[in-house]
Amino acid sequence: MAKKSTTNPSLNVMIVVQNGRLAYEAALFAASLRHCSPDFQGRLLLAEPMPSPLWAKDMRLPDGELRDLLIELGGEFIQFESKVFGQSYPYGNKIEALAAMPKGENFVFFDTDTLITGDLSEVPFDFARPSASLRRENTWPQQELYGPKYAETWKSLYDKFGLDFESSLDLKYPDEYWRRYPYYNAGYFYSECPQKFGSRFLEYATAIRDDAPVELVCQTLDPWLDQVALPLVIHSFGGGKDTLSRGLLDGDVSCHYRMLPLLYARESDRVVEVLEEVTAPNKIKKVLKGSEVIKRMVYQGRGHKVRDLFDQDDLPRKEQAIRNRIKKNNFWMR
């Protein structure tokens, strides 16, 4: 029988792996990729930071059962240097790790706290027009009573890098409504060359950090720096918000759950089903029980107690309200 053709047979997928929580999340990601995307023929690259003066300790995952499991699930460890961010801004790992990926090859980056829930090979990426996750709230910029408005703030950034601000706007939304302006969640992003994309991402992020426009004087960039720079990078490469059909990533094919209590509280039955299917095999269960959160939420049933606190068809509008209810019932873990 002829093998089923795939849209992206040689796609490189990259996640950042560090000793501790991220490594266990990486195992969940890898297991879900293999389970839900059996036709995936690309590489799963596990990027870990090398020891550096910018880290107080070695962040690499040591040899042992967890590292062996990640390799058995098809992961390939690659190392990158922390030259700019390190411990002072760990979110910068996703920027600096891009330099260690194969040059000129299509890639998708995912945060480790993501599950693959469908066939990634069939997602019709247009790698020449990069994009990123639109699953976000209006977390940045924060509006000050007498400070610059959304348009002034974002325009100052586009002007700083010589980019056309007007063409970035989503004109179906009115002036000063946050969705009109370019803003992404950095939970996933993709492009056609990780080194070109990463070099510009690093250039823009450091320029904003070290010499921000005056319009940002009242804004905090921690932890938002990556998500402030990302729209500018995407725009500079000719990408945008609508280059990928909605409902695939952050939909039928992937879920950026963020934390297991939030997954059980608000994600679909399909996401819960995938999580529990991929964690069920004994050889995986034996390793993942080393995570207190996975042990309690998945294997000891605490996750379903969280789920029982919510009507998934009528969830609180704000994530903070969901968190507060979980915490009130003493089920919050990370």
Side-chain angles (χ1 to χ4, degrees):
M1 183 182 294
K3 183 172 177 60
K4 179 183 175 183
S5 65
T6 57
T7 302
N8 298 293
S10 60
L11 168 65
N12 291 329
V13 172
M14 189 264 278
I15 58 178
V16 173
V17 179
Q18 293 178 195
N19 191 20
R21 175 175 58 87
L22 294 189
Y24 285 102
E25 291 175 351
L28 294 177
F29 179 93
S32 68
L33 174 64
R34 299 307 172 194
H35 180 77
C36 294
S37 192
D39 292 313
F40 178 75
Q41 301 169 43
R43 299 171 69 187
L44 172 58
L45 300 174
L46 312 175
E48 55 182 359
M50 294 293 287
S52 160
L54 298 180
W55 292 99
K57 59 183 179 180
D58 188 346
M59 301 305 296
R60 291 174 296 179
L61 179 63
D63 291 340
E65 290 183 331
L66 184 50
R67 193 178 184 95
D68 291 343
L69 176 62
L70 283 164
I71 294 171
E72 185 177 345
L73 291 168
E76 302 175 46
F77 280 90
I78 60 173
Q79 285 73 41
F80 67 93
E81 295 183 82
S82 298
K83 298 179 179 179
V84 177
F85 295 112
Q87 189 168 310
S88 67
Y89 187 69
Y91 301 98
N93 278 346
K94 66 183 68 175
I95 302 174
E96 297 197 78
L98 294 171
M101 294 187 67
K103 183 178 182 180
E105 297 185 11
N106 298 333
F107 79 94
V108 183
F109 165 84
F110 287 100
D111 276 342
T112 53
D113 49 0
T114 300
L115 287 180
I116 300 302
T117 55
D119 192 348
L120 189 64
S121 301
E122 292 296 325
V123 175
F125 294 105
D126 182 351
F127 291 102
R129 301 172 64 216
S131 194
S133 172
L134 293 172
R135 187 176 186 182
R136 77 284 193 223
E137 296 181 345
N138 57 329
T139 49
W140 196 94
Q142 291 297 306
Q143 297 295 279
E144 301 292 335
L145 183 59
Y146 299 109
K149 302 303 182 185
Y150 283 115
E152 294 173 86
T153 302
W154 279 115
K155 187 175 186 303
S156 73
L157 289 164
Y158 277 72
D159 290 347
K160 179 176 178 65
F161 299 105
L163 303 172
D164 179 49
F165 173 64
E166 295 298 325
S167 62
S168 75
L169 301 176
D170 190 337
L171 298 179
K172 66 176 174 284
Y173 296 107
D175 285 341
E176 294 307 318
Y177 180 61
W178 70 274
R179 292 184 184 273
R180 182 180 176 91
Y181 307 98
Y183 189 54
Y184 302 92
N185 186 299
Y188 79 77
F189 53 83
Y190 60 86
S191 190
E192 58 185 354
C193 176
Q195 294 197 19
K196 289 182 180 178
F197 193 91
S199 176
R200 192 166 299 172
F201 203 171
L202 185 61
E203 173 194 349
Y204 285 11
T206 53
I208 294 168
R209 182 194 65 181
D210 299 338
D211 185 26
V214 67
E215 287 83 358
L216 272 64
V217 68
C218 294
Q219 300 296 331
T220 179
L221 293 172
D222 191 354
W224 314 118
L225 178 60
D226 60 331
Q227 296 190 171
V228 175
L230 184 57
L232 308 169
V233 179
I234 286 172
H235 190 77
S236 75
F237 282 106
K241 291 168 61 177
D242 299 313
T243 66
L244 182 65
S245 300
R246 303 288 176 91
L248 296 173
L249 300 189
D250 291 333
D252 291 340
V253 178
S254 72
C255 173
H256 185 200
Y257 60 86
R258 305 265 306 286
M259 303 165 205
L260 287 180
L262 289 177
L263 184 155
Y264 277 101
R266 67 183 180 185
E267 304 301 346
S268 69
D269 290 344
R270 169 62 179 165
V271 172
V272 175
E273 176 185 296
V274 168
L275 172 66
E276 298 186 346
E277 284 179 353
V278 302
T279 55
N282 285 331
K283 66 179 180 180
I284 292 179
K285 182 187 299 186
K286 177 184 175 184
V287 178
L288 294 187
K289 279 187 173 181
S291 162
E292 192 71 11
V293 178
I294 296 174
K295 181 174 73 174
R296 292 188 180 278
M297 283 287 154
V298 178
Y299 296 122
Q300 296 182 354
R302 184 176 291 191
H304 284 281
K305 293 180 180 178
V306 171
R307 198 162 182 81
D308 289 343
L309 298 174
F310 298 91
D311 177 354
Q312 279 73 47
D313 295 321
D314 187 25
L315 290 166
R317 192 170 60 89
K318 290 288 188 179
E319 180 182 300
Q320 190 58 52
I322 298 175
R323 290 176 178 237
N324 290 344
R325 188 180 302 177
I326 298 171
K327 291 175 182 178
K328 183 179 179 181
N329 286 273
N330 297 317
F331 291 140
W332 185 257
M333 301 184 74
R334 184 178 188 185

